[in-house]
Amino acid sequence: MPEGDTVFLAGKKLDRALAGRTLVRTDFRHPALATADLAGREVLGVRTVGKHLFTRFSGELSLHSHLKMDGSWEVYRPGGRWRHPAHHVRVVLAAEEVQAVGFRLHDLELLPTGEESRLVGHLGPDLLDPQWTDEHTGRAVAALTARPDRELGLALLDQRVMAGVGNLYKCEICFLLGVTPWVPVSEVDAGKTVALARKLLLANAWRHEQSTTGDTTRGRRNWVYERSRQGCFRCGGRLRVGTQGHDVQRRPTWYCPRCQRGPAPAT
């Protein structure tokens, strides 16, 4: 599933392409929205909350979308060739000079703009909220420490704690804290953990290359995530990969047994 910074960047791309433009045609290829027609409405802007996108239109109307594992929004000139098959298209928002095409989108819904909180009100603070304050930090810390015996990796992926962290950042945050993802929350500094999560997402919010090491060169961007062949970026040692979570929440989890202390599943 895309990390919060990937969704943030997608939202900014949509906003730059559509904000201030009037739609001349819309095409919803989704059963619940098949008869919807937004032609004539102005696009007011695009808002992201964690991994959720809201495209706002005149008339107090919003389109909610979620990328899940494989969704994407792409921008084309009218008549431009799409990079994905037409049967993957779920929505087309077309203005005179540009069109935004949503491929394999999930959870599509049109709703009054004033009701957006119905879909995201349960989330923790958005790590990329431009209005972030100490109050947001306090809420995230309180949610993170509410279950001190919970595995840190599972807590980081819980969007009700703080919105935006995915599996990549889960692995990298734990590495930078020097603990395995299976260590209980009570063994880390919650304030430091929240600050680190926000720092990493902010560092990557405006670029496609996600780097937690500070190096954007391919093969040098992460400390442990998906580095089974190369080894730990810090010590060069062999990494281990375990699974964390259950059922649909199961995720492959990379860690360095030299650089990270704490419990881990049997290999």
Side-chain angles (χ1 to χ4, degrees):
M1 185 176 291
E3 312 280 334
D5 55 344
T6 301
V7 178
F8 176 87
L9 191 60
K12 293 303 179 184
K13 177 176 67 175
L14 274 181
D15 188 78
R16 287 194 299 267
L18 294 177
R21 298 183 183 274
T22 298
L23 298 178
V24 297
R25 180 177 66 88
T26 59
D27 182 4
F28 289 92
R29 305 179 186 182
H30 184 280
L33 302 177
T35 60
D37 183 3
L38 305 185
R41 291 183 186 262
E42 180 184 356
V43 180
L44 302 182
V46 179
R47 172 198 183 204
T48 59
V49 181
K51 301 182 181 183
H52 299 255
L53 292 99
F54 293 94
T55 305
R56 292 172 167 176
F57 310 98
S58 57
E60 285 293 307
L61 188 66
S62 294
L63 173 66
H64 169 254
S65 60
H66 198 297
L67 303 184
K68 295 289 186 181
M69 293 292 292
D70 56 352
S72 66
W73 277 101
E74 297 188 6
V75 175
Y76 299 91
R77 290 293 182 185
R81 184 177 180 180
W82 296 340
R83 296 197 305 124
H84 303 286
H87 66 268
H88 287 168
V89 175
R90 297 295 176 266
V91 58
V92 178
L93 304 176
E96 285 191 0
E97 300 178 357
V98 67
Q99 61 177 349
V101 184
F103 298 93
R104 298 180 299 271
L105 297 177
H106 301 263
D107 302 338
L108 281 173
E109 181 178 347
L110 284 170
L111 71 161
T113 299
E115 295 182 12
E116 290 177 358
S117 61
R118 171 169 59 83
L119 300 180
V120 295
H122 65 289
L123 299 178
D126 179 2
L127 289 166
L128 291 175
D129 188 338
Q131 305 301 320
W132 185 277
T133 64
D134 289 343
E135 187 271 336
H136 292 84
T137 299
R139 284 171 51 204
V141 168
L144 184 61
T145 57
R147 296 171 57 184
D149 295 333
R150 192 179 192 187
E151 293 177 359
L152 177 60
L154 295 180
L156 290 172
L157 288 180
D158 189 344
Q159 302 301 293
R160 296 168 298 180
V161 172
M162 46 187 171
V165 173
N167 200 42
L168 183 157
Y169 287 117
K170 177 197 81 172
C171 295
E172 298 293 284
I173 289 169
C174 290
F175 176 85
L176 290 169
L177 291 173
V179 298
T180 69
W182 295 272
V183 78
V185 169
S186 60
E187 294 194 18
V188 299
D189 182 321
K192 180 179 179 180
T193 302
V194 172
L196 179 58
R198 179 163 160 77
K199 176 182 178 180
L200 292 179
L201 265 73
L202 280 172
N204 293 296
W206 294 96
R207 63 188 180 200
H208 292 284
E209 301 83 10
Q210 292 170 306
S211 171
T212 56
T213 65
D215 191 333
T216 58
T217 306
R218 184 181 296 274
R220 299 176 60 84
R221 296 171 185 168
N222 300 322
W223 296 99
V224 293
Y225 181 76
E226 292 188 340
R227 289 186 56 87
S228 298
R229 292 186 178 181
Q230 304 99 318
C232 174
F233 188 69
R234 174 181 290 164
C235 74
R238 183 177 180 180
L239 298 178
R240 293 181 181 174
V241 185
T243 58
Q244 188 171 36
H246 303 283
D247 301 324
V248 297
Q249 302 299 322
R250 287 171 63 91
R251 297 288 185 271
T253 302
W254 287 261
Y255 67 101
C256 177
R258 290 185 182 179
C259 299
Q260 294 170 261
R261 63 173 177 83
T267 57

